[in-house]
Amino acid sequence: QKEVEQNSGPLSVPEGAIASLNCTYSDRGSQSFFWYRQYSGKSPELIMFIYSNGDKEDGRFTAQLNKASQYVSLLIRDSQPSDSATYLCAVNRGPHGNQFYFGTGTSLTVIP
Amino acid sequence: NAGVTQTPKFQVLKTGQSMTLQCAQDMNHNSMYWYRQDPGMGLRLIYYSASEGTTDKGEVPNGYNVSRLNKREFSLRLESAAPSQTSVYFCASSESASGQYFGPGTRLTVT
């Protein structure tokens, strides 16, 4: 079983819609949960992290965590064509929280 | 603040050649990492260094060696390159559990 699983997509949404990206993880010892955005040919960029159950909002982005279901999601409101990218989910654990595990990413396309 | 820098950006090697990928960070982070990214495989951890003076193997360490030269610098060495090592290599750094910051990557082709 993979540590972190994501639907590879591609996911297409019209401009202005809400994009919903989902991720599940296998180890209940996972501590924090991260979303990265990766544009084609570029490196991953950290956009949000969450470590408590519930929602965390940052501008148009909302991360949602449900530890009981081992599920984390990212909502992008008012999607823009510039949001078109691959979104990577990651978790961390270990005594210093420095062991990170990544999903393979979901490709998002926002259609103008 | 440059963040995480990597050199070179591109490299072509012949099978059997050696090379060292350089990485430096100016964020005073304790932990540094080397990943490779291949289509459909996601990011795979090669080696990481939790702090200066320590290194540990990740998921795919075979064929690679690392050196944590000081707190800022973490290098990755390919002693005898193989076509299977054709990939994009990313260095990253982190402080505690706040997430990782990635360098721009090195695109390596081994022929």
Side-chain angles (χ1 to χ4, degrees):
Chain A
Q1 185 181 9
K2 288 185 182 176
E3 297 274 356
V4 180
E5 301 223 34
Q6 296 180 254
N7 187 328
S8 62
L11 174 66
S12 294
V13 299
E15 184 174 354
I18 296 175
S20 177
L21 303 158
N22 304 314
C23 172
T24 58
Y25 60 95
S26 61
D27 193 322
R28 290 191 178 273
S30 299
Q31 299 161 356
S32 298
F33 307 86
F34 306 86
W35 284 101
Y36 293 81
R37 177 177 60 203
Q38 186 174 24
Y39 292 115
S40 181
K42 302 295 186 182
S43 57
E45 174 193 8
L46 179 65
I47 53 175
M48 285 197 75
F49 73 92
I50 186 169
Y51 53 85
S52 298
N53 272 330
D55 295 359
K56 179 181 179 182
E57 188 174 315
D58 183 0
R60 295 186 296 110
F61 299 97
T62 299
Q64 299 176 316
L65 175 61
N66 183 327
K67 289 188 177 181
S69 301
Q70 295 176 242
Y71 178 91
V72 58
S73 64
L74 179 70
L75 301 178
I76 307 174
R77 290 184 301 280
D78 188 24
S79 296
Q80 301 296 309
S82 59
D83 295 325
S84 298
T86 296
Y87 289 80
L88 304 174
C89 173
V91 307
N92 78 317
R93 58 175 186 269
H96 305 291
N98 55 14
Q99 296 173 11
F100 292 84
Y101 301 87
F102 284 81
T104 53
T106 298
S107 175
L108 171 67
T109 300
V110 180
I111 303 166
Chain B
N1 256 7
V4 180
T5 58
Q6 291 182 237
T7 56
K9 287 188 167 49
F10 300 92
Q11 185 71 49
V12 179
L13 292 177
K14 293 188 188 317
T15 297
Q17 288 184 318
S18 63
M19 77 162 297
T20 299
L21 282 64
Q22 306 286 355
C23 174
Q25 52 94 7
D26 63 3
M27 295 175 283
N28 203 36
H29 287 169
N30 279 311
S31 300
M32 296 186 73
Y33 310 78
W34 277 105
Y35 291 92
R36 60 178 289 174
Q37 188 174 40
D38 303 290
M41 302 291 288
L43 284 162
R44 292 186 291 170
L45 182 65
I46 304 171
Y47 272 93
Y48 72 100
S49 171
S51 61
E52 187 178 352
T54 69
T55 61
D56 286 286
K57 295 179 180 178
E59 181 185 355
V60 288
N62 290 346
Y64 305 95
N65 286 301
V66 290
S67 295
R68 183 74 183 267
L69 303 169
N70 48 54
K71 191 171 186 178
R72 289 187 64 247
E73 298 173 287
F74 188 39
S75 63
L76 178 72
R77 183 160 177 84
L78 286 71
E79 290 291 352
S80 179
S84 60
Q85 293 178 305
T86 293
S87 189
V88 180
Y89 291 85
F90 290 107
C91 177
S93 70
S94 75
E95 186 58 42
S96 186
S98 62
Q100 295 175 307
Y101 295 85
F102 285 81
T106 296
R107 283 147 184 81
L108 175 66
T109 301
V110 183
T111 60

